Amino acid sequence: MIDLAVLWFALVFVLLGTFLFLDGFDFGVGLLFATRDDEEERETLLAAIGPIWDGNEVWLVVFGGALFAVFPAAYAGLFSRHYLLMFAILGALILRGIAPELYEQRSDDRWKRWWGRSFIVGSALSPFLLGMFAANWVLGASTIVSVPSLAFGLTVVALTLVEGAAFLGLKTRGTLRDEMSDYSARAALAYLVLVVVVIGYLAATRSDLHGALLSPLSLAAVVVSVALVAGVVLASRADRHRAAFAAAAFLPYALVAFVGNLLYPAIDPAVGLTVQEGVVSDLPLTMLTVAAAFILPIVVVYFGVVYSVFSGPADPSETY
């Protein structure tokens, strides 16, 4: 008999990982926008994510909706304790969304410079603040800013940079592609260093997490992450861009597996609420499971069709 509460706990983190994968490379492209001075190269980066970024953000809504529907007490507690952080995340996501739209509206240098910087700031703040939120959730923190939350925020930023550079390895050509491969390899190593720093800090300061940190799933997630980082670096150096992107795509899933394992069996450790205590009753849980079994495959197929339509190198002449 499948434990639906545990199944949905895992599914919530799979949805979070999917958001970090899909919108993660959008954020990374926004960060790499800061490295470009040439207008044609900037247009190429915008054209690479123009048709898909807003669809990718849907997965954040799906993650929040699933948490609300299945674990409503945890949803209410998390969002009410960290509402200022949530407003900051929404502000960063809005800035990241409108900045490239407005960037394209005028050819004035000052206008483009302002909205280009806004795009970069929104792309950096969004994953950073989301990382802080995830750290506060897992560690049961009531404060917004702490050493582990800042470190985890930087870790998520590095992750999105890896994904963005690997994605642009598929969507660009020539010297621009070569530079993206270099950024991808460097960001992957930086991400691994930050993961080690976060784990080391938790091991040194949180004795209550030692069991979870040394559990087989946590160790497996770390080993897989190291292997994926090695895959990104080697594939990028060998100009095997599809392999580099495939390795980068699995990094967020390894990260959320590690985070979810630290959290379980709690769903809201700040108040001591467990997965079994926080889940909705049997009837709505069963109805949600049946609905998800039909809807999620359709959504996955839809995204597959969309990405196949917009596959191939980006053309800078295509407006954002």
Side-chain angles (χ1 to χ4, degrees), residues 118-145:
S118 299
F119 179 45
I120 296 163
V121 170
S123 299
L125 280 180
S126 297
F128 180 71
L129 296 173
L130 284 164
M132 291 180 66
F133 175 78
N136 289 338
W137 178 13
V138 173
L139 300 177
S142 56
T143 57
I144 294 177
V145 180

Side-chain angles (χ1 to χ4, degrees), residues 59-85:
W59 289 95
L60 182 61
V61 179
V62 175
F63 158 72
L67 186 65
F68 169 74
V70 182
F71 303 105
Y75 177 93
L78 279 171
F79 284 67
S80 61
R81 282 197 305 275
H82 301 294
Y83 69 95
L84 290 177
L85 187 54

